[in-house]
Amino acid sequence: MFALIDCNNFFVSCERVFRPDLEHKPVIVLSSNDGCAIARSNQAKLLGIPMGAPLFEIRHLVKTYNVEVLSCNFELYGDMSLRVMNVLQQQCEKVEVYSIDEAFLQFDKSINWAEEGERLRKHVLQCTGIPTSIGFGPTKTLAKLANLQSKALGIACYIDSTPVHHDTLKNTSVSKIWGIGANLSKSLKQQGIYSAYDLMLADPSWARRNYNVIVERIVRELNGHSCMPLTLIQEAKKSIQITRSFFEHVKDKDVLKQAAARYGFRLSTKLRESSQKTTTLFVYGRNSPFRGETPVFHQRTIVLPEPTNDTAVIIQHAQQAIESFFDPTVAYHKIGIMAVNLRDATQPGAHALFEAPKSAKKPDIDKVMDTLNKRFGLGTVRPLSCGESIEWMNKRDHKTPAYTTNWKTLVQVKAK
DNA sequence: TCTGGGGTCCTAGGACCC
DNA sequence: TCTGGGGTCCTAGGACCC
């Protein structure tokens, strides 16, 4: 028996933990540069604010209904996510952390799912302040569907393929199924498959022939045959990228190089956090897809002489890439740096044989920076090439403090 | 004026090998 | 007329997820 537990309106719920005054109000959390709504409270959803709506398009709603608008605060959400997952891991032996706000759990078949589900929801809420939904089922796909129902009803739910649940499956659009996106659902509907029930009745080999193994697995899972086991051990990441769009377009090469330094710094820090090194960097710059200009996409792939997670090396290559593709006539809207072909940094690679021995006297600057930044907050110490100000070219006008990860912004409680 | 960021998996087709 | 068969590896691109 699988369960999918999912945090309700996660980013909004994180903000509400430290801002109880936001409870019962319409609240939205914006993407970087305060661009679009990426999380909405139930009240905001009821106002008709769609997921991903650009802020400038919903200004009237925000004003009329006094919607609370917040910039995203991923430091907070990441930490709150860890707390939720820790609580779940204390309560259940088999937990797969699936995303920042979701986890699959596996239980014995004989479990009383209604009781266990409510107990877990209450416990998570009590320990972290985060409300959740929980759906149970004999497969991950069915547990996901049960979670949708749980979200709608506000209680733990269960779905399997037996006739008792056929009405529910008939009332669930095929597009709501985990793994069936916009393209597949359009195509399936052309084949006469509109609901989860319709897809459940499809022939798995037909699904494979006409689509692929993923759709075949979904058909089998809808019928209660589990094809996707729980992944208990988190696999090493295969790629890490840092990409950001600019608040206003950039035509200055030095500004782009400064951005490359910032993203390169963040990228190398992330590589060290996950004890990985990269052998290949992919750097790109593009213009805005929304201004009606001819699309521009400059890119460079850099194969490094040896695997590295060294900040200085990564920044140097990223800046060289910018230097080589920069075109002064282009209004750059976004650049990105991606590390692929990652290696375990704790294992000596093929190149280690030829690596120059590190001088014992040379201080490990990256290690010192990591320690200081971890203790005093991101960006406290950084390479000069990243520029002086911390907030830069990325607008965040409504950002809340990093309540749980920065001593300076710790909430103070005073008795009256 | 203004439109996110970060991932994964699968498949087809080409290059290359014996 | 008629030109093998079987395999691996890599890459680009598509689709999906949160």
Side-chain angles (χ1 to χ4, degrees):
Chain A
M1 168 93 77
F2 291 94
L4 179 74
I5 188 156
D6 166 307
C7 303
N8 298 342
N9 315 328
F10 184 52
F11 301 164
V12 170
S13 296
C14 290
E15 300 285 356
R16 279 176 167 166
V17 170
F18 296 92
R19 289 276 310 274
D21 60 298
L22 298 180
E23 212 66 52
H24 312 299
K25 280 190 186 168
V27 182
I28 58 174
V29 173
L30 301 173
S31 61
S32 92
N33 289 325
D34 292 346
C36 320
I38 53 168
R40 305 154 295 153
S41 70
N42 286 342
Q43 296 78 8
K45 288 178 189 172
L46 284 175
L47 291 177
I49 297 177
M51 181 67 173
L55 180 60
F56 70 88
E57 280 180 14
I58 52 170
R59 285 254 185 237
H60 59 290
L61 287 173
V62 168
K63 209 172 168 189
T64 312
Y65 297 100
N66 210 9
V67 177
E68 190 79 31
V69 176
L70 301 172
S71 300
C72 54
N73 184 348
F74 278 97
E75 225 176 312
L76 173 67
Y77 313 149
D79 188 62
M80 293 302 286
S81 173
L82 282 179
R83 293 176 186 215
V84 170
M85 301 307 167
N86 281 338
V87 170
L88 292 177
Q89 273 152 351
Q90 284 160 17
Q91 299 298 310
C92 178
E93 271 181 31
K94 294 182 178 170
V95 179
E96 173 186 337
V97 177
Y98 175 67
S99 74
I100 192 164
D101 68 338
E102 278 173 80
F104 282 106
L105 284 64
Q106 199 168 16
F107 295 99
D108 200 77
K109 229 177 175 175
S110 59
I111 189 190
N112 181 333
W113 57 265
E115 221 169 72
E116 180 64 14
E118 288 311 317
R119 191 186 69 78
L120 274 174
R121 292 179 64 220
K122 263 188 203 147
H123 192 66
V124 172
L125 183 66
Q126 189 184 5
C127 294
T128 65
I130 301 290
T132 54
S133 302
I134 188 162
F136 292 82
T139 67
K140 282 184 171 178
T141 303
L142 287 164
K144 267 269 191 186
L145 287 180
N147 184 275
L148 274 185
Q149 208 185 15
S150 169
K151 239 179 195 89
L153 301 179
I155 49 168
C157 291
Y158 171 88
I159 294 183
D160 64 24
S161 56
T162 58
V164 194
H165 299 107
H166 285 183
D167 277 346
T168 310
L169 292 169
K170 282 176 190 171
N171 289 325
T172 305
S173 163
V174 74
S175 62
K176 298 278 185 193
I177 300 170
W178 185 42
I180 304 292
N183 285 290
L184 279 173
S185 63
K186 190 178 160 199
S187 165
L188 284 165
K189 281 174 186 171
Q190 283 165 358
Q191 305 276 335
I193 293 176
Y194 296 95
S195 69
Y197 180 75
D198 295 338
L199 190 60
M200 182 186 89
L201 293 185
D203 176 10
S205 55
W206 171 87
R208 174 122 195 193
R209 261 199 324 277
N210 287 271
Y211 295 96
N212 53 40
V213 66
I214 300 178
V215 181
E216 181 194 0
R217 275 204 288 257
I218 291 170
V219 172
R220 292 188 191 280
E221 287 241 327
L222 287 171
N223 282 280
H225 306 302
S226 178
C227 307
M228 307 179 205
L230 208 70
T231 326
L232 292 174
I233 299 158
Q234 198 133 29
E235 302 258 326
K237 279 214 180 101
K238 292 171 180 165
S239 68
I240 297 179
Q241 55 179 313
I242 306 292
T243 66
R244 295 277 181 288
S245 44
F246 303 120
F247 172 56
E248 48 193 13
H249 67 237
V250 175
K251 284 190 156 179
D252 181 338
K253 186 168 71 181
D254 290 334
V255 175
L256 281 192
K257 284 172 73 175
Q258 203 171 88
R262 283 170 177 261
Y263 305 173
F265 176 41
R266 185 81 195 103
L267 180 65
S268 59
T269 307
K270 281 192 155 190
L271 282 167
R272 292 191 295 274
E273 275 170 9
S274 61
S275 302
Q276 286 175 302
K277 290 184 176 183
T278 178
T279 61
T280 313
L281 290 174
F282 176 77
V283 181
Y284 73 83
R286 59 177 297 182
N287 63 354
S288 169
F290 298 106
R291 296 160 59 106
E293 297 157 5
T294 322
V296 173
F297 191 88
H298 297 314
Q299 59 181 81
R300 289 288 180 278
T301 302
I302 304 125
V303 178
L304 300 164
E306 60 183 31
T308 188
N309 55 21
D310 187 307
T311 297
V313 173
I314 288 174
I315 289 180
Q316 188 203 339
H317 282 102
Q319 290 192 324
Q320 271 172 10
I322 300 284
E323 191 80 51
S324 77
F325 69 53
F326 178 75
D327 176 347
T329 65
V330 173
Y332 289 93
H333 170 253
K334 180 179 195 172
I335 73 160
I337 309 178
M338 196 187 300
V340 291
N341 286 331
L342 306 186
R343 302 270 190 280
D344 183 348
T346 59
Q347 298 285 322
H351 296 272
L353 267 179
F354 309 107
E355 242 173 76
K358 279 206 175 130
S359 159
K361 284 184 186 163
K362 186 184 164 228
D364 190 339
I365 296 172
D366 283 337
K367 203 171 172 182
V368 175
M369 282 198 295
D370 290 346
T371 310
L372 288 171
N373 286 333
K374 199 168 178 186
R375 180 157 172 196
F376 298 108
L378 283 177
T380 305
V381 187
R382 57 191 181 278
L384 189 59
S385 53
C386 294
E388 284 179 30
S389 72
I390 295 182
E391 290 299 328
W392 169 92
M393 293 307 285
N394 306 118
K395 191 168 107 169
R396 280 186 186 187
D397 287 345
H398 315 280
K399 187 162 173 241
T400 51
Y403 302 104
T404 61
T405 50
N406 192 329
W407 287 109
K408 285 181 213 150
T409 53
L410 199 67
V411 176
Q412 293 186 20
V413 181
K414 287 178 190 162
K416 268 193 180 175

